[in-house]
Amino acid sequence: MIRKPYLLFLGDAPDQLAAKVAQGIADWRPENVVGQLRLDGCKADAGVPDLGLNDAWERGARTLVVGVANRGGVIPESWLDVLKQALEIGFDLANGQHNLLRDQGVLRETAQRNDRALHDVRVPTVAYPIANGKKRTGKRCLAIGTDCSIGKMYTGLAMDREMRTRRKKSTFRPTGQTGILITGSGVPLDAVVADFMAGAIECLTPDNDSDHWDHIEGQGSLFHVSYSGVTMALIHGGQPDAIILAHEPTRTHMRGLPHYGLPTLEELRDVALPVARVANPDVRICGVSVNTSALDDDEAVRSCEEIEDRMGLPTVDPFRHGAGRLVDALEAI
């Protein structure tokens, strides 16, 4: 178990999206967060108090969570002194990067010497099977995005929360480091060997009651040449009954790929639906989730209205405006 509460480590994150792990925890589990620790040059802010290690410890923080998701999942040498100091004070460390804390000799030795725990949540702990494609009972919803880091996790969490508010049967199924740190369990899908990714999602979303919805955390994008494989595994392993298209209207290019433009929502719809029908011929696209965090209130409303008129689908920012209309669409299936 990861000790709570947390001090979120934002390091020298170059922009707000790079700190999406910290932001996700702060937004969805604020009761578990004492504050954030930022290094010089950090351009992200999770909206919680800035604290040093000693102040955070005095306020009760017990785990320093690496809240940065940089390209390649690297733990830079510039972070090591702070992480080592945290262990010496008494903190455990939790990390969702591809680079593991346990592989950093200075951290492993310091943790052993101080009897502290290193939690690498992006390490699969189950031997997953190869997918069999058999239809499972229960219902499943998956958000598929025009890009990565676009709000797919927030969509699933918001829809799950709305369904629970309505006293409906619902479970959020995490597939990435942030979701796992928020809920405490899940599948670190992009760290699973490729042949077993779809099977891992079958295990994550087993047979269930006929009126139960699994909200599967989306990853990557079918149009992102770096991360399309994980998206395909989610579609075929998840066998969604409902798809929510996810979009960020101010993006001008793929995250980390300035030489690739974003697809339109129409292009995403026309590619995603035939791919999803391979595993579930009855799948439907039920709505559009728009990440309007870069827009003011009036711009956000106008953006959603324009997309809804164009696509003919209920369109909302589920974090900003609530997920009610997206859940209405699921209940109509």
Side-chain angles (χ1 to χ4, degrees):
M1 295 294 293
I2 300 176
R3 291 193 299 167
K4 302 179 182 67
Y6 303 147
L7 174 63
L8 304 176
F9 179 69
L10 275 62
D12 50 1
D15 56 35
Q16 194 65 30
L17 268 180
K20 67 177 186 177
V21 176
Q23 192 65 64
I25 297 170
D27 284 342
W28 292 97
R29 292 294 185 272
E31 68 276 12
N32 293 340
V33 177
V34 169
Q36 65 186 6
L37 174 60
R38 298 188 286 176
L39 301 180
D40 291 343
C42 181
K43 294 181 174 62
D45 186 349
V48 296
D50 285 296
L51 298 173
L53 289 171
N54 288 310
D55 287 342
W57 180 264
E58 291 299 321
R59 297 191 189 194
R62 290 299 177 262
T63 300
L64 181 70
V65 175
V66 176
V68 182
N70 55 31
R71 187 170 175 84
V74 177
I75 299 175
E77 286 191 15
S78 59
W79 295 359
L80 292 179
D81 284 346
V82 175
L83 300 181
K84 178 175 180 289
Q85 185 182 355
L87 291 168
E88 291 170 340
I89 289 172
F91 287 92
D92 294 337
L93 301 182
N95 167 54
Q97 302 277 69
H98 281 298
N99 280 185
L100 305 182
L101 296 168
R102 69 190 71 172
D103 290 340
Q104 311 301 313
V106 64
L107 300 182
R108 184 178 62 252
E109 294 162 8
T110 305
Q112 291 172 346
R113 186 171 65 252
N114 291 276
D115 194 25
R116 299 273 47 91
L118 301 178
H119 300 282
D120 288 302
V121 302
R122 219 171 190 156
V123 176
T125 58
V126 176
Y128 296 111
I130 292 175
N132 59 41
K134 294 179 180 179
K135 181 64 177 174
R136 305 185 295 285
T137 57
K139 297 179 179 179
R140 290 157 191 86
C141 180
L142 174 66
I144 299 176
T146 52
D147 194 7
C148 60
S149 302
I150 211 164
K152 298 180 293 293
M153 183 190 73
Y154 276 53
T155 301
L157 283 164
M159 294 180 72
D160 174 58
R161 181 168 63 185
E162 175 66 20
M163 293 199 85
R164 289 171 177 269
T165 298
R166 299 184 185 191
R167 299 187 182 279
K168 303 293 183 179
K169 297 176 184 177
S170 176
T171 306
F172 175 70
R173 302 293 190 182
T175 62
Q177 71 273 27
T178 309
I180 292 169
L181 286 165
I182 289 170
T183 65
S185 64
V187 172
L189 189 59
D190 62 5
V192 174
V193 174
D195 276 358
F196 303 95
M197 287 195 296
I201 299 306
E202 289 184 348
C203 292
L204 183 68
T205 59
D207 286 319
N208 219 313
D209 295 340
S210 60
D211 57 346
H212 178 278
W213 279 94
D214 275 341
H215 298 276
I216 307 170
E217 180 185 359
Q219 299 290 338
S221 170
L222 288 171
F223 286 83
H224 200 296
V225 296
S226 303
Y227 308 120
S228 56
V230 70
T231 312
M232 184 70 80
L234 282 163
I235 294 171
H236 286 168
Q239 297 181 359
D241 300 277
I243 288 173
I244 303 297
L245 304 180
H247 184 56
E248 206 278 41
T250 70
R251 294 271 179 97
T252 58
H253 61 77
M254 285 292 193
R255 175 74 171 163
L257 300 176
H259 48 297
Y260 275 85
L262 252 66
T264 65
L265 282 162
E266 289 87 348
E267 289 171 326
L268 177 61
R269 175 197 63 200
D270 294 344
V271 169
L273 197 54
V275 169
R277 283 176 174 162
V278 171
N280 183 356
D282 298 322
V283 62
R284 303 183 193 179
I285 295 179
C286 291
V288 181
S289 171
V290 184
N291 177 353
T292 65
S293 58
L295 304 176
D296 65 28
D297 289 343
D298 290 340
E299 290 171 334
V301 171
R302 286 197 300 271
S303 178
C304 290
E305 288 177 345
E306 185 276 326
I307 291 171
E308 180 158 343
D309 288 344
R310 201 177 84 221
M311 299 292 294
L313 294 166
T315 301
V316 298
D317 181 330
F319 186 68
R320 191 174 195 166
H321 303 134
R325 296 183 64 221
L326 299 180
V327 170
D328 290 344
L330 295 196
E331 294 187 335
I333 293 179

